[in-house]
Amino acid sequence: MIQFNIKRFGKLAKWSLTNDKKYHVKSFLQVFVVLLLFFLFFTSILLSYNSQPANYQACGAAVIAVFAVTPIIGSSFMFYSMDGKHDMQTLLMLPASNFEKYLMRYISWILLLPLYLVAFLAADLLQYLFGLIVGHEEVRFVASTVVEMVSGFWHKYPSVEHPTIICSFAFVFTWIHSLYALGATFFRSNKYNWIPTTLIVVLLAMFLIWISPDDRSSSALDSSSIADIVESAIYVFVVGLNFWLSYRLFCRRQVIGKLVNL
């Protein structure tokens, strides 16, 4: 079977979107309700009962946390929309290649990001309208606070360091993201597989910090450039290996099994 066919993948995507509709609606409502209650608590309830000023900074930090954590651990959500063995059995029996099934499962978590964005904007609008109705002073959108916080962090560092910051965040993000993708197919439990994966990530991070040197000795520019190239190549290899292992474990996945897919 050809590993990827656009027409066949389109049919698989249509089936997946239809089958995952309930899960996506549930995820949207959960984020909407949680953010709305969080916003109202820090911008209205504390203001009314404790005479505290509206804490938009806390609201902005919560939003940044949601949109920072979700992309990192989002790959562990690949099978969250599947309830029980029946859905997994149906997926494995679909007339599509394993690569197409794995790719569609991976894309399923990406669809959560626009849903979370709409949920955030809706919750932000409601808290703003609520503040206007009850007559609170200095009512503002949480979105503006988020922009100010991100902009403040960005301009905190010199412009010459911005490429280094971007590369560092990208390296760490994709490495951890690939580990969660591996954990999603390594552990059999569809729900909460991010918990043991997080423990593994923490242990690996502690190990890397322990074995890494305290400081780098000064060396020639050429040697430093070669070292950076070698480190980048190793990093790309490790990330690619994690995704490859995740795909191979998905291909070996069985409906009936124990704790892990081995």
Side-chain angles (χ1 to χ4, degrees), residues 117-141:
L117 178 60
V118 174
F120 158 58
L121 295 177
D124 192 15
L125 178 61
L126 287 182
Q127 72 82 20
Y128 182 82
L129 294 176
F130 182 82
L132 291 178
I133 292 174
V134 298
H136 289 162
E137 298 180 358
E138 299 182 359
V139 179
R140 60 184 302 185
F141 287 106

CSV table of all heavy atoms in Angstrom, one decimal, residues 117-141:
chain,number,residue,atom,x,y,z
A,117,LEU,N,-8.0,29.2,21.3
A,117,LEU,CA,-7.9,30.7,21.1
A,117,LEU,C,-9.3,31.3,21.0
A,117,LEU,O,-9.5,32.4,21.6
A,117,LEU,CB,-7.2,30.9,19.7
A,117,LEU,CG,-7.1,32.4,19.3
A,117,LEU,CD1,-6.3,33.1,20.3
A,117,LEU,CD2,-6.4,32.4,17.9
A,118,VAL,N,-10.3,30.6,20.4
A,118,VAL,CA,-11.6,31.1,20.4
A,118,VAL,C,-12.2,31.1,21.8
A,118,VAL,O,-12.9,32.1,22.2
A,118,VAL,CB,-12.5,30.3,19.4
A,118,VAL,CG1,-14.0,30.7,19.5
A,118,VAL,CG2,-12.0,30.4,18.0
A,119,ALA,N,-11.9,30.1,22.6
A,119,ALA,CA,-12.4,30.0,23.9
A,119,ALA,C,-11.8,31.2,24.8
A,119,ALA,O,-12.6,31.8,25.6
A,119,ALA,CB,-12.1,28.7,24.6
A,120,PHE,N,-10.6,31.4,24.6
A,120,PHE,CA,-9.9,32.5,25.3
A,120,PHE,C,-10.6,33.9,25.0
A,120,PHE,O,-10.9,34.7,25.8
A,120,PHE,CB,-8.4,32.5,25.0
A,120,PHE,CG,-7.8,33.9,25.3
A,120,PHE,CD1,-7.8,34.5,26.5
A,120,PHE,CD2,-7.1,34.5,24.3
A,120,PHE,CE1,-7.2,35.7,26.7
A,120,PHE,CE2,-6.5,35.7,24.5
A,120,PHE,CZ,-6.6,36.3,25.7
A,121,LEU,N,-10.7,34.1,23.7
A,121,LEU,CA,-11.3,35.4,23.2
A,121,LEU,C,-12.7,35.6,23.7
A,121,LEU,O,-13.1,36.7,24.1
A,121,LEU,CB,-11.2,35.5,21.7
A,121,LEU,CG,-9.8,35.6,21.1
A,121,LEU,CD1,-9.9,35.6,19.6
A,121,LEU,CD2,-9.0,36.8,21.6
A,122,ALA,N,-13.5,34.5,23.7
A,122,ALA,CA,-14.9,34.6,24.2
A,122,ALA,C,-14.9,34.8,25.7
A,122,ALA,O,-15.7,35.7,26.1
A,122,ALA,CB,-15.6,33.3,23.8
A,123,ALA,N,-14.1,34.2,26.4
A,123,ALA,CA,-14.0,34.4,27.9
A,123,ALA,C,-13.5,35.8,28.2
A,123,ALA,O,-14.1,36.5,29.1
A,123,ALA,CB,-13.1,33.3,28.5
A,124,ASP,N,-12.6,36.3,27.4
A,124,ASP,CA,-12.1,37.6,27.6
A,124,ASP,C,-13.2,38.7,27.3
A,124,ASP,O,-13.3,39.7,28.1
A,124,ASP,CB,-10.9,37.9,26.7
A,124,ASP,CG,-10.1,39.1,27.0
A,124,ASP,OD1,-10.3,39.7,28.1
A,124,ASP,OD2,-9.3,39.5,26.2
A,125,LEU,N,-13.9,38.5,26.3
A,125,LEU,CA,-15.0,39.4,25.9
A,125,LEU,C,-16.1,39.4,27.0
A,125,LEU,O,-16.6,40.5,27.4
A,125,LEU,CB,-15.6,39.0,24.6
A,125,LEU,CG,-16.8,39.8,24.1
A,125,LEU,CD1,-16.4,41.3,23.9
A,125,LEU,CD2,-17.4,39.3,22.8
A,126,LEU,N,-16.4,38.2,27.6
A,126,LEU,CA,-17.5,38.2,28.6
A,126,LEU,C,-17.0,38.9,29.9
A,126,LEU,O,-17.8,39.6,30.5
A,126,LEU,CB,-17.8,36.7,28.9
A,126,LEU,CG,-18.7,36.0,27.8
A,126,LEU,CD1,-19.0,34.6,28.2
A,126,LEU,CD2,-20.0,36.8,27.5
A,127,GLN,N,-15.7,38.7,30.3
A,127,GLN,CA,-15.2,39.3,31.5
A,127,GLN,C,-15.2,40.8,31.3
A,127,GLN,O,-15.4,41.6,32.2
A,127,GLN,CB,-13.9,38.8,31.9
A,127,GLN,CG,-12.7,39.2,31.0
A,127,GLN,CD,-12.1,40.5,31.3
A,127,GLN,OE1,-12.3,41.1,32.4
A,127,GLN,NE2,-11.4,41.1,30.4
A,128,TYR,N,-14.9,41.3,30.1
A,128,TYR,CA,-14.9,42.7,29.8
A,128,TYR,C,-16.3,43.3,29.9
A,128,TYR,O,-16.5,44.4,30.5
A,128,TYR,CB,-14.3,43.0,28.4
A,128,TYR,CG,-14.2,44.4,28.0
A,128,TYR,CD1,-13.1,45.2,28.4
A,128,TYR,CD2,-15.1,45.0,27.2
A,128,TYR,CE1,-13.0,46.5,28.1
A,128,TYR,CE2,-15.0,46.4,26.9
A,128,TYR,CZ,-14.0,47.1,27.3
A,128,TYR,OH,-13.8,48.4,27.0
A,129,LEU,N,-17.3,42.6,29.3
A,129,LEU,CA,-18.7,43.1,29.3
A,129,LEU,C,-19.2,43.1,30.8
A,129,LEU,O,-19.9,44.0,31.2
A,129,LEU,CB,-19.5,42.2,28.4
A,129,LEU,CG,-19.3,42.3,26.9
A,129,LEU,CD1,-20.1,41.4,26.1
A,129,LEU,CD2,-19.5,43.8,26.4
A,130,PHE,N,-18.8,42.0,31.5
A,130,PHE,CA,-19.2,41.9,32.9
A,130,PHE,C,-18.7,43.1,33.7
A,130,PHE,O,-19.4,43.7,34.6
A,130,PHE,CB,-18.8,40.6,33.5
A,130,PHE,CG,-19.2,40.4,34.9
A,130,PHE,CD1,-20.5,39.9,35.2
A,130,PHE,CD2,-18.4,40.7,36.0
A,130,PHE,CE1,-20.9,39.7,36.5
A,130,PHE,CE2,-18.8,40.5,37.3
A,130,PHE,CZ,-20.1,40.0,37.5
A,131,GLY,N,-17.4,43.5,33.5
A,131,GLY,CA,-16.8,44.6,34.2
A,131,GLY,C,-17.5,45.9,33.9
A,131,GLY,O,-17.7,46.7,34.7
A,132,LEU,N,-17.9,46.1,32.6
A,132,LEU,CA,-18.6,47.3,32.2
A,132,LEU,C,-20.0,47.4,32.9
A,132,LEU,O,-20.4,48.4,33.3
A,132,LEU,CB,-18.7,47.4,30.7
A,132,LEU,CG,-17.4,47.6,29.9
A,132,LEU,CD1,-17.7,47.6,28.4
A,132,LEU,CD2,-16.8,48.9,30.3
A,133,ILE,N,-20.6,46.2,32.9
A,133,ILE,CA,-22.0,46.2,33.5
A,133,ILE,C,-22.0,46.5,35.0
A,133,ILE,O,-22.9,47.3,35.4
A,133,ILE,CB,-22.7,44.8,33.2
A,133,ILE,CG1,-22.9,44.6,31.7
A,133,ILE,CG2,-24.0,44.7,33.9
A,133,ILE,CD1,-23.4,43.3,31.3
A,134,VAL,N,-21.1,45.9,35.7
A,134,VAL,CA,-21.1,46.2,37.1
A,134,VAL,C,-20.4,47.5,37.5
A,134,VAL,O,-20.3,47.9,38.7
A,134,VAL,CB,-20.4,45.0,37.9
A,134,VAL,CG1,-21.2,43.7,37.6
A,134,VAL,CG2,-19.0,44.8,37.4
A,135,GLY,N,-19.8,48.1,36.5
A,135,GLY,CA,-19.2,49.4,36.8
A,135,GLY,C,-17.8,49.4,37.4
A,135,GLY,O,-17.4,50.4,38.1
A,136,HIS,N,-17.0,48.4,37.1
A,136,HIS,CA,-15.6,48.4,37.6
A,136,HIS,C,-14.7,49.4,36.9
A,136,HIS,O,-14.9,49.6,35.7
A,136,HIS,CB,-15.0,47.0,37.5
A,136,HIS,CG,-15.6,46.0,38.4
A,136,HIS,ND1,-15.5,44.6,38.2
A,136,HIS,CD2,-16.4,46.1,39.5
A,136,HIS,CE1,-16.2,44.0,39.2
A,136,HIS,NE2,-16.7,44.9,40.0
A,137,GLU,N,-13.8,50.0,37.6
A,137,GLU,CA,-12.9,50.9,37.0
A,137,GLU,C,-11.7,50.2,36.3
A,137,GLU,O,-11.4,49.1,36.7
A,137,GLU,CB,-12.3,51.9,38.1
A,137,GLU,CG,-13.4,52.7,38.7
A,137,GLU,CD,-12.8,53.7,39.8
A,137,GLU,OE1,-11.6,53.6,40.0
A,137,GLU,OE2,-13.5,54.4,40.3
A,138,GLU,N,-11.2,50.8,35.3
A,138,GLU,CA,-10.0,50.3,34.6
A,138,GLU,C,-10.3,48.9,34.0
A,138,GLU,O,-9.5,48.0,34.1
A,138,GLU,CB,-8.8,50.2,35.5
A,138,GLU,CG,-8.4,51.6,36.0
A,138,GLU,CD,-7.1,51.5,36.9
A,138,GLU,OE1,-6.6,50.4,37.1
A,138,GLU,OE2,-6.6,52.5,37.4
A,139,VAL,N,-11.5,48.8,33.4
A,139,VAL,CA,-11.8,47.5,32.8
A,139,VAL,C,-11.0,47.4,31.5
A,139,VAL,O,-10.9,48.4,30.7
A,139,VAL,CB,-13.3,47.4,32.4
A,139,VAL,CG1,-13.6,46.1,31.7
A,139,VAL,CG2,-14.1,47.5,33.7
A,140,ARG,N,-10.4,46.3,31.2
A,140,ARG,CA,-9.6,46.1,30.0
A,140,ARG,C,-9.6,44.6,29.6
A,140,ARG,O,-10.1,43.8,30.3
A,140,ARG,CB,-8.1,46.5,30.3
A,140,ARG,CG,-7.5,45.7,31.4
A,140,ARG,CD,-6.0,46.2,31.7
A,140,ARG,NE,-5.2,46.1,30.5
A,140,ARG,CZ,-3.9,46.4,30.5
A,140,ARG,NH1,-3.3,46.8,31.6
A,140,ARG,NH2,-3.2,46.3,29.4
A,141,PHE,N,-9.2,44.4,28.4
A,141,PHE,CA,-9.1,43.0,27.9
A,141,PHE,C,-7.8,42.3,28.4
A,141,PHE,O,-6.8,42.9,28.5
A,141,PHE,CB,-9.1,43.0,26.3
A,141,PHE,CG,-10.4,43.4,25.7
A,141,PHE,CD1,-10.6,44.6,25.1
A,141,PHE,CD2,-11.5,42.5,25.7
A,141,PHE,CE1,-11.8,44.9,24.5
A,141,PHE,CE2,-12.7,42.8,25.2
A,141,PHE,CZ,-12.9,44.0,24.6
